[in-house]
Amino acid sequence: MPCRAVGVTQRVIRTNVGTLLEMGGSDQDLGYFGPGSVSWQVDREVTVLFGGARALLMQAAHPLVVAGVNQTQMYDRSPWKRLQRTLMLTYTITFGTKAEAHAAADRINEVHARINGTDPVTGKAYDALDPHLLLYVHATLVHSAVLYEELTIGRLDDEGRQRFHEEQMLAAELVRIPKGSIPPTVPALRAWLADVEDRGELFVTEGALRVARLFMDPPHDAEWRPILPQVARLAFGTLSPHVREMYGIRWNGAKEAALRSTFALMRAARPFLPVKYKYVEPYNEWVRQGRRTPTLRSARPRA
């Protein structure tokens, strides 16, 4: 049986961004975050989910990460359904009870334990439980979520983004990332990712291009299929120039202007969207079931 993370302290933002309180006895299992957390506020948003495409492109640009994915033959058998299953596990860690979060983390850890080998492209060994690779995947997800929240919603200030980062450290522990290895602040996390790129660890292989094609030319069973190519364009536009070039994406001032206009439109339209299109389905489903009381308040507006 896989080991569960130990020493995890449940911390929930009960009223607003910036006020962390220890959870005492409660008659309701709010999981490791709860409806007052910044993680709920950020992860429930569909536009933040779209930022996951950016994170996947960043992950795929690391040859040892994508080598592990290739080992699972993910792109040979129902790739979109398998992506959705992985996504549901991560949402369960955020929105589920503590028992559900541990079960989801155990499942992720079980899969990772079977993924290891030698990358045929670089000749280097890879292991899905390698703390460095795990941290890289985690960092791309957190960085992309924070960026897309800022671009499409804009409720969080610097303190709110820091709280999100700190909450996600707990989620990282559940999937065996040593907390001490995680850069302690959002700027430090960005710098860590930049260092990975500067050290030359990233390289776009055929496996990475297959990930890109999954969004640019999605399979017929893909959810949100009609808009996925646009989601991909936004993702490529928010990558670093170097990684974007490695994917063969040409960029210019007109594309940059179109990118900024699209994000501005998404931000302006979001308040008027139906709940179905504003929030992810796991959040909507848990609210419908009455398993949670969505008492989340908005983050403090920026000064």
Side-chain angles (χ1 to χ4, degrees):
M1 179 178 294
C3 297
R4 293 178 176 175
V6 295
V8 176
T9 303
Q10 183 183 12
R11 311 177 81 187
V12 175
I13 298 177
R14 296 294 263 177
T15 57
N16 208 334
V17 174
T19 306
L20 285 174
L21 297 177
E22 298 294 334
M23 286 293 295
S26 172
D27 58 358
Q28 186 180 30
D29 184 349
L30 298 174
Y32 281 111
F33 301 102
S37 66
V38 185
S39 291
W40 270 53
Q41 176 168 323
V42 172
D43 288 347
R44 67 178 182 170
E45 299 285 344
V46 165
T47 55
V48 172
L49 169 61
F50 291 163
R54 176 184 186 269
L56 283 175
L57 290 171
M58 293 177 70
Q59 293 165 22
H62 197 300
L64 300 187
V65 173
V66 82
V69 176
N70 286 339
Q71 181 181 324
T72 68
Q73 298 182 318
M74 177 175 176
Y75 304 116
D76 299 324
R77 297 177 296 174
S78 304
W80 199 259
K81 290 182 179 178
R82 298 181 78 177
L83 266 176
Q84 287 179 310
R85 286 197 293 269
T86 301
L87 182 63
M88 287 303 298
L89 289 173
T90 60
Y91 276 139
T92 300
I93 292 175
T94 298
F95 297 114
T97 65
K98 286 186 283 187
E100 290 166 343
H102 276 290
D106 284 349
R107 176 58 182 154
I108 292 171
N109 294 333
E110 287 172 4
V111 172
H112 285 171
R114 299 193 296 268
I115 299 174
N116 55 76
T118 301
D119 173 30
V121 176
T122 64
K124 296 180 180 179
Y126 65 86
D127 188 326
L129 291 178
D130 180 341
H132 178 73
L133 297 182
L134 284 171
L135 178 56
Y136 180 71
V137 170
H138 172 78
T140 64
L141 290 167
V142 171
H143 184 237
S144 296
V146 166
L147 176 63
Y148 270 64
E149 193 285 332
E150 181 177 4
L151 291 172
T152 66
I153 304 166
R155 285 180 175 173
L156 297 183
D157 56 13
D158 288 342
E159 186 178 7
R161 286 186 281 274
Q162 179 63 24
R163 294 304 185 189
F164 176 74
H165 176 40
E166 291 174 1
E167 289 176 12
Q168 290 305 299
M169 290 182 188
L170 187 153
E173 287 184 89
L174 290 174
V175 293
R176 302 184 182 178
I177 301 174
K179 185 176 181 180
S181 70
I182 304 174
T185 67
V186 173
L189 189 74
R190 293 193 191 105
W192 186 88
L193 282 169
D195 285 344
V196 170
E197 183 177 330
D198 291 343
R199 287 196 300 269
E201 290 188 35
L202 305 185
F203 176 71
V204 170
T205 64
E206 176 57 30
L209 295 177
R210 292 173 77 183
V211 173
R213 288 194 292 268
L214 191 62
F215 288 93
M216 295 301 295
D217 185 21
H220 292 289
D221 63 344
E223 192 175 3
W224 302 86
R225 186 176 188 272
I227 67 170
L228 286 177
Q230 176 62 18
V231 169
R233 283 189 282 272
L234 296 177
F236 281 120
T238 52
L239 292 174
S240 73
H242 179 58
V243 174
R244 191 165 56 214
E245 289 171 7
M246 285 196 291
Y247 274 104
I249 303 298
R250 295 181 179 179
W251 204 249
N252 54 41
K255 289 184 177 181
E256 181 67 25
L259 180 77
R260 293 180 181 275
S261 296
T262 301
F263 278 122
L265 179 61
M266 291 170 66
R267 186 166 174 170
R270 179 195 164 277
F272 305 102
L273 293 176
V275 167
K276 178 180 179 181
Y277 299 110
K278 184 185 298 185
Y279 302 132
V280 298
E281 181 55 25
Y283 173 83
N284 290 331
E285 177 64 21
W286 276 304
V287 170
R288 284 195 298 267
Q289 291 179 357
R291 295 177 62 186
R292 303 288 186 272
T293 303
T295 56
L296 185 65
R297 298 182 185 178
S298 297
R300 288 193 296 273
R302 294 182 181 182

